[in-house]
């Protein structure tokens, strides 16, 4: 079971999940967003291997288990509201299933905001 102190701080979605933002150790580049439940978080903290919950397949997956593109977790942090995690990882190979280093490759045009 997940440590009770950690579990008590989590604010999960209605389906029991919490968003995990993944960034690269060293560069700080945001690589991907994934989902975890208590068990995925417990496994990640216990093993140092990023483990997520696949919403489409309804199963756990260890990042890189089949592709070899592993994520070795170097740090984990919970945000102030308890509804998001930040994982800092050593990424081996691409993080995105499309083969890109980061899942965030489609830049959008933003009109610069004006301070109020």
């Amino acid at each position: 079971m997940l440590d009770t102190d950690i579990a008590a701080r989590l604010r999960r979605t209605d389906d029991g999940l919490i968003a995990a933002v993944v960034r690269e150790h060293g560069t700080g580049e945001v690589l991907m967003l994934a989902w975890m439940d208590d068990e995925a978080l417990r496994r990640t903290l216990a093993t140092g291997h990023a483990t997520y919950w696949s919403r489409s397949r309804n199963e756990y997956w260890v990042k890189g288990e089949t592709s070899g593109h592993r994520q070795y977790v170097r740090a984990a942090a919970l945000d102030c509201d308890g509804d998001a995690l930040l994982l800092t990882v050593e990424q081996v190979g691409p993080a995105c299933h499309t083969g890109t280093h980061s899942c965030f490759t489609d830049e959008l045009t933003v009109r610069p905001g004006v301070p109020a």
Side-chain angles (χ1 to χ4, degrees):
M1 287 198 40
L2 182 62
D3 179 276
T4 56
D5 291 336
I6 295 171
R9 295 175 58 196
L10 298 178
R11 289 187 42 208
R12 300 160 192 82
T13 62
D14 290 343
D15 50 359
L17 301 175
I18 186 166
V21 177
V22 183
R23 73 174 171 182
E24 188 170 35
H25 178 72
T27 68
E29 180 180 8
V30 176
L31 300 176
M32 58 182 273
L33 171 76
W35 295 95
M36 296 178 133
D37 64 4
D38 288 22
E39 179 60 15
L41 179 55
R42 185 200 66 77
R43 291 180 188 187
T44 297
L45 297 175
T47 66
H49 296 276
T51 304
Y52 305 109
W53 176 254
S54 171
R55 296 182 302 167
S56 60
R57 297 186 311 261
N58 286 322
E59 66 184 15
Y60 295 103
W61 55 285
V62 178
K63 182 69 172 166
E65 195 168 56
T66 56
S67 68
H69 303 153
R70 294 205 176 266
Q71 291 178 342
Y72 299 102
V73 180
R74 298 297 176 235
L78 184 59
D79 81 338
C80 60
D81 294 325
D83 61 1
L85 293 162
L86 177 62
L87 299 181
T88 303
V89 303
E90 292 284 345
Q91 179 68 46
V92 176
C96 189
H97 71 280
T98 65
T100 58
H101 185 67
S102 169
C103 293
F104 295 95
T105 58
D106 293 335
E107 299 269 340
L108 304 177
T109 303
V110 178
R111 180 176 168 207
V114 178

